[in-house]
Amino acid sequence: MFEFLEKYLMGPLTKLSQYKLVRAIQSAGMASISFVTIGSLFLVLNVLPMVIPGLEGFYASTFDKVTPLYMLANVATMGVIALYFLLVIGFEYTRFIAEEEDLDLSPITGMLLSLFGFFMLVPQLVKGPEGISKVNDAEAGIINGWAIGDAPARFGATGIFTAIIVCFVTVNIYKFFIKRDIRIKMPDSVPEGVANSFSALIPVIVISIIFIVVNGILVSLGTDIFGLVAIPFGFVANLTGSWIGMIIIILFIQALWLVGIHGATIIGSILTPIYLYNMELNGSGSHIPLAGEFMNAFSYNGGSGATLGLVIMMAFLAKSQQLKLLGRASIVPGIFQINEPIIFGLPMVYNPNFAVPFLVSPMVSGSIAYFAISSGLVRPVIAQQPWPTPVGINGFIATGGDWKGLVLSLVCAIVNALIYYPFFKKRDNELYKEELESEQ
């Protein structure tokens, strides 16, 4: 099994994770965590009366009077999350190319070129009898081509996919000209910042022309880049909206971990934009289970593999001193969703004794949470809790303060522990016998 995983899973996905663009997307996801988390906490504050009716009167006389003020923290994070991704990807992608291909590229210039290209594509245009014009639809909130909600609509999670493509195109155009030394050169006495600005003149002109032509063709066909991007990415988004899709995602993550690869990082860097998009839809009334930090709230109690129950059993039930000591050393990190001591210390990597529960346990807990949310029993994930948030509290925050989210998280953790129990007992007995024989 391990040979199969190494050949057909670890190799291709490890290669994928080394692409500069994928690493830049991963950097953007990590850089935006703090902002998304804080913005989500303000959203939780705003929706608490919906899940705790007793707070309605208190809110009416306090928070409701200043809702537009404190919700600016949410608008300035989740409302414009595509800009966070755009800026970080543009900067990091340019930096990776400059360092690894030894090119004189400025990450700041690459970032600004990405921003420039993105803004060229945001306004909505339409082709009419008199030519191309800006869309104006007051009822739909579109003014002079700009769709406006709490913030420009295309700056939210729906714009992340377009931002990724824009960064790839603009930075590679920039790379094309610099690599061939096609640029306006300034004397050595000119400050570096000014020289970089002139180096970007030709790429700016070319990006302008290319984006104008491409956008014009798409508008003539009745769409634009945002509509076009939605077609292929819609399939992946639909994958996250199904139970089978969730099972496949967890299987890939866990299988990579079994051969020593950080599956959550590799798969998560690809799917984070979709998780954020689903969470944005949930905030608008949708009911998509796999959104935001669903995995950490319900599937991965104690970290990848859902090992918190195993750690507790090792610490308090193990007869083997080896398991007992490792469990006690791992219990505090495990409570905060950190389980590298178990993955590499037990270990889980290349360990046939725990491979089955390591693969199966997160699927079972994820399935329980999936159907609890899709059935309407528990509110969907609308907030991004910090990933080290302990079990129970993470489900409460993720579902916007729903006490049933807290209970669901605890139920999932108990189920995880029950799945690990027979495998733990078998291995504990084996190690205990070995320790007795060693002492004798």
Side-chain angles (χ1 to χ4, degrees), residues 102-400:
D102 195 23
L103 294 175
D104 185 22
L105 300 178
S106 165
I108 293 293
T109 300
M111 179 182 71
L112 293 177
L113 287 172
S114 300
L115 186 65
F116 166 69
F118 185 76
F119 280 152
M120 283 194 67
L121 300 174
V122 170
Q124 298 182 43
L125 307 176
V126 63
K127 181 183 178 182
E130 299 179 1
I132 294 177
S133 60
K134 298 175 182 177
V135 175
N136 275 288
D137 187 345
E139 292 185 3
I142 305 175
I143 308 298
N144 288 329
W146 289 76
I148 304 295
D150 291 326
R154 291 183 165 184
F155 287 5
T158 54
I160 293 177
F161 308 123
T162 300
I164 293 170
I165 292 175
V166 167
C167 288
F168 177 79
V169 173
T170 55
V171 171
N172 276 288
I173 290 174
Y174 177 37
K175 169 188 169 182
F176 175 87
F177 287 101
I178 298 301
K179 187 175 184 178
R180 289 160 180 78
D181 204 23
I182 304 172
R183 52 179 157 176
I184 299 174
K185 298 181 180 179
M186 303 298 290
D188 293 338
S189 58
V190 174
E192 183 181 357
V194 177
N196 287 334
S197 297
F198 278 89
S199 295
L201 277 175
I202 295 176
V204 168
I205 294 170
V206 173
I207 290 169
S208 301
I209 295 172
I210 291 176
F211 278 37
I212 288 170
V213 171
V214 171
N215 209 25
I217 293 172
L218 293 176
V219 170
S220 298
L221 295 174
T223 185
D224 59 16
I225 189 66
F226 284 83
L228 194 65
V229 167
I231 297 173
F233 280 101
F235 168 76
V236 184
N238 289 336
L239 184 68
T240 65
S242 69
W243 174 72
I244 291 294
M246 182 200 69
I247 293 296
I248 292 173
I249 291 167
I250 294 176
L251 176 62
F252 271 93
I253 292 172
Q254 297 306 114
L256 284 171
W257 268 121
L258 280 177
V259 289
I261 302 298
H262 200 304
T265 297
I266 293 177
I267 304 300
S269 64
I270 301 169
L271 295 178
T272 293
I274 298 175
Y275 292 156
L276 292 174
Y277 175 59
N278 290 346
M279 188 170 72
E280 183 179 71
L281 292 177
N282 285 342
S284 302
S286 295
H287 220 86
I288 304 170
L290 195 52
E293 287 286 350
F294 171 91
M295 294 294 194
N296 282 327
F298 304 112
S299 297
Y300 297 140
N301 294 292
S304 293
T307 57
L308 181 59
L310 173 63
V311 168
I312 293 173
M313 288 186 291
M314 288 168 56
F316 298 106
L317 301 180
K319 294 181 291 184
S320 162
Q321 287 302 307
Q322 176 183 331
L323 291 183
K324 186 182 292 291
L325 291 172
L326 181 59
R328 289 177 178 176
S330 305
I331 193 166
V332 173
I335 290 172
F336 294 96
Q337 308 285 71
I338 300 168
N339 68 339
E340 275 75 5
I342 288 295
I343 287 180
F344 298 107
L346 185 59
M348 286 295 184
V349 176
Y350 291 105
N351 188 342
N353 297 292
F354 290 102
V356 171
F358 190 74
L359 283 171
V360 172
S361 185
M363 295 183 192
V364 175
S365 54
S367 298
I368 292 170
Y370 180 93
F371 291 113
I373 292 174
S374 62
S375 67
L377 180 63
V378 178
R379 287 171 59 86
V381 174
I382 63 168
Q384 186 99 337
Q385 82 280 7
W387 68 265
T389 306
V391 174
I393 300 174
N394 52 15
F396 180 78
I397 295 175
T399 55

